[in-house]
Amino acid sequence: MRLRQPTVACSLSVVLCVPAHAEARDLGRDTLPANDGWAAEGAGTTGGAAADDAHVFTVTDRAGLVRALDGGSDTPKNNIWLTAATHVWVDHVTLSDKGHPDAKEPTDIARTYLRHDGPPDITNGSDLVTVSWSRFTGHGKAMLIGNGNGNGNGNGNGNGDTATGDRGELRVTLHHNAFESVVQRAPRVRFGQVHVHNNRYDATGDDYRSSLGVPTESRIHAENNAFHAPGHVEVADLVESRNGSALHQSGTLFNDFPVDLLAIHNAYNSGSERDLTADVGWTPALHGPIDSARAADRAVARGADAGRIP
């Protein structure tokens, strides 16, 4: 399975949108390169590379999306919430609230009535996923990896910490992605082994809460990521442990200065969260060359978006 969306105009795309300038290169036939994250495990991910023309779609509105989904038929296709999915490559997509943030949603019994959650939530034992060169912007809860409450609805509340069936699954790589004006969950991980490297974070907005969520049995290996934040956001705000026990981090930049997220989290959590250790129990092996955070910062600013495939 693979999701490509190389044009900004196709905000609802489910399979493929090819810009005119890319006619010489059939992006719909691309396959995931060797060693490009967890989705390259085993036979790798070819997605729709062999799809016939009848199953390649350009979607620009809801009606087109419904037609592309084909009434839930067994024909291979993509959506952006991954549940019990394996070997998935999400590449060069742009996802946002498109002017409908949580703050503007209606209320019911004095609570905001939320009609959307993470743009790409990865739940219910999904496994072997690579998310690369994509842009997530203007959203409250960007990406939950692991069940929200043990029943697969992905809302991040309740007793998701008891979804022990996710152990051994949820192996995900996030690289060269841009997270802009995202309040939290970039990502939040339960149980999964998640490699987070060479991403760019712009932690803007008065309601910013955190970027890396580390709940129960989270095994995040974060390296060479770049964070940009205004004055009211501190390094200690970037990590929220939420019953987690470990976080590997290295090569982190905060407003262009090197920082140790783990040490700062442990020093400033004021006892409200447990200290995190650096031993997450695994070392990523499936990846290409890892850029410095500074180089990745520039590369992501230029190339992570639906309209920026070279």
Side-chain angles (χ1 to χ4, degrees), residues 47-212:
D52 58 32
D53 291 343
H55 293 97
V56 178
F57 303 95
T58 298
V59 176
T60 59
D61 56 24
R62 181 176 178 81
L65 175 63
V66 172
R67 289 193 297 271
L69 292 175
D70 193 22
S73 75
D74 291 334
T75 302
K77 60 182 71 73
N78 303 306
N79 211 331
I80 203 66
W81 175 22
L82 307 181
T83 176
T86 61
H87 281 289
V88 181
W89 179 24
V90 180
D91 184 65
H92 279 96
V93 304
T94 296
L95 298 173
S96 78
D97 284 347
K98 300 293 288 184
H100 299 282
D102 290 350
K104 294 183 178 180
E105 293 295 284
T107 59
D108 185 18
I109 315 178
R111 297 185 63 182
T112 302
Y113 184 76
L114 301 182
R115 294 178 289 185
H116 50 266
D117 209 338
D121 279 349
I122 302 171
T123 64
N124 278 17
S126 292
D127 196 23
L128 304 177
V129 178
T130 296
V131 181
S132 56
W133 294 102
S134 294
R135 182 170 173 253
F136 309 101
T137 178
H139 198 88
K141 301 171 182 176
M143 185 183 301
L144 177 67
I145 300 176
N147 285 349
N149 61 5
N151 64 10
N153 71 6
N155 66 15
N157 302 313
N159 63 349
D161 290 349
T162 66
T164 55
D166 284 340
R167 287 177 179 149
E169 312 291 343
L170 300 171
R171 292 173 290 178
V172 179
T173 298
L174 308 177
H175 74 82
H176 292 94
N177 301 293
F179 295 91
E180 302 170 356
S181 299
V182 167
V183 177
Q184 59 181 312
R185 302 187 188 179
R188 177 185 292 177
V189 179
R190 287 185 175 94
F191 298 103
Q193 295 182 2
V194 180
H195 191 194
V196 182
H197 71 89
N198 285 161
N199 300 286
R200 173 188 169 97
Y201 295 81
D202 284 293
T204 57
D206 294 337
D207 54 352
Y208 175 80
R209 292 182 57 180
S210 65
S211 291
L212 302 179

Side-chain angles (χ1 to χ4, degrees), residues 239-307:
V239 176
E240 183 181 20
S241 73
R242 299 183 64 88
N243 297 324
S245 61
L247 169 68
H248 172 92
Q249 77 81 44
S250 60
T252 304
L253 287 182
F254 181 80
N255 288 339
D256 213 35
F257 289 94
V259 295
D260 186 330
L261 288 183
L262 183 63
I264 293 173
H265 169 82
N266 289 342
Y268 286 89
N269 67 32
S270 302
S272 60
E273 300 177 350
R274 73 173 72 177
D275 283 355
L276 301 174
T277 70
D279 183 9
V280 294
W282 71 291
T283 300
L286 288 170
H287 58 79
I290 296 179
D291 301 326
S292 69
R294 187 166 282 108
D297 192 20
R298 294 191 297 266
V300 170
R302 292 193 304 266
D305 210 337

